[in-house]
Amino acid sequence: MENIAGARKPAKREDEHTVAGEHRMMRRADREVTNPEQIAAIVAACDIVEVAYADAEGLTIVPLNFGFDYDEATGKLTLWFHSAPRGRKLDAIRAAAGGRLPVAFTMQTDCEVFKSIVGNGTASLVEDLDECRHGLQTLMAQQAHMPNVEFTDAQVRSVTVWKIESDYFTTKVRAKPAPTHMHQR
């Protein structure tokens, strides 16, 4: 694309917001949610997070139940999970450099309106017993709506707890479009 003087005008995706290593601005910024209270409510309304990662077997994506912590002041989102002691996800985390596996995730709710979150982060195993207990408590609060469950040390040690600390995520709300025409018989 050239302007009148003959100089090439940068394409929209070539501006300073889309240079490799920087986060691209949401194309439909009118749908982006930036209010921390609204973001927290959307995360709380989700039941499943889909986590994508690459390992020795290739790319994969897995749907999971989760718990979460969201710090409205800093915008930091931590997703909590539990697993059996062995499996593909845990093998991938253990094999990653420093035990920190890059992942992508998405979650959505209220499909009539379509509220969604898409992000990136780092998955890691949790070793500290109190931190594991906290992760399990957030999971029970989110999935079973039981915020005050207490876990014994033996219960905490019987599962593997891991987390994703989000480096970057966006939240979006899109209203269901009205029908443009009606089919007549």
Side-chain angles (χ1 to χ4, degrees), residues 9-38:
K9 180 180 174 185
K12 185 174 186 175
R13 296 195 183 269
E14 294 176 333
D15 68 14
E16 68 274 4
H17 300 291
T18 61
V19 175
E22 302 239 350
H23 293 292
R24 182 176 294 191
M25 293 176 62
M26 186 179 287
R27 187 180 62 82
R28 292 294 308 263
D30 59 312
R31 296 179 182 165
E32 185 173 13
V33 177
T34 58
N35 178 290
E37 290 176 3
Q38 289 177 304

Side-chain angles (χ1 to χ4, degrees), residues 75-147:
K76 181 178 178 180
L77 177 64
T78 302
L79 303 173
W80 296 92
F81 308 92
H82 78 293
S83 299
R86 294 190 178 99
R88 184 174 177 182
K89 295 180 299 294
L90 299 183
D91 289 347
I93 294 170
R94 288 182 182 115
R100 299 181 54 78
L101 178 69
V103 299
F105 63 90
T106 183
M107 50 184 114
Q108 53 279 327
T109 186
D110 190 6
C111 291
E112 283 295 311
V113 175
F114 197 73
K115 299 173 183 174
S116 64
I117 296 172
V118 175
N120 302 93
T122 305
S124 61
L125 298 178
V126 178
E127 303 294 336
D128 179 78
L129 200 60
D130 288 334
E131 191 177 10
C132 287
R133 183 176 283 110
H134 173 75
L136 292 172
Q137 289 169 332
T138 67
L139 203 142
M140 290 300 291
Q142 177 69 6
Q143 298 302 316
H145 308 289
M146 298 170 63

Side-chain angles (χ1 to χ4, degrees), residues 163-179:
K163 66 183 176 181
I164 294 173
E165 294 174 291
S166 179
D167 302 319
Y168 175 78
F169 69 94
T170 58
T171 308
K172 178 175 161 180
V173 173
R174 181 178 188 271
K176 183 178 180 180

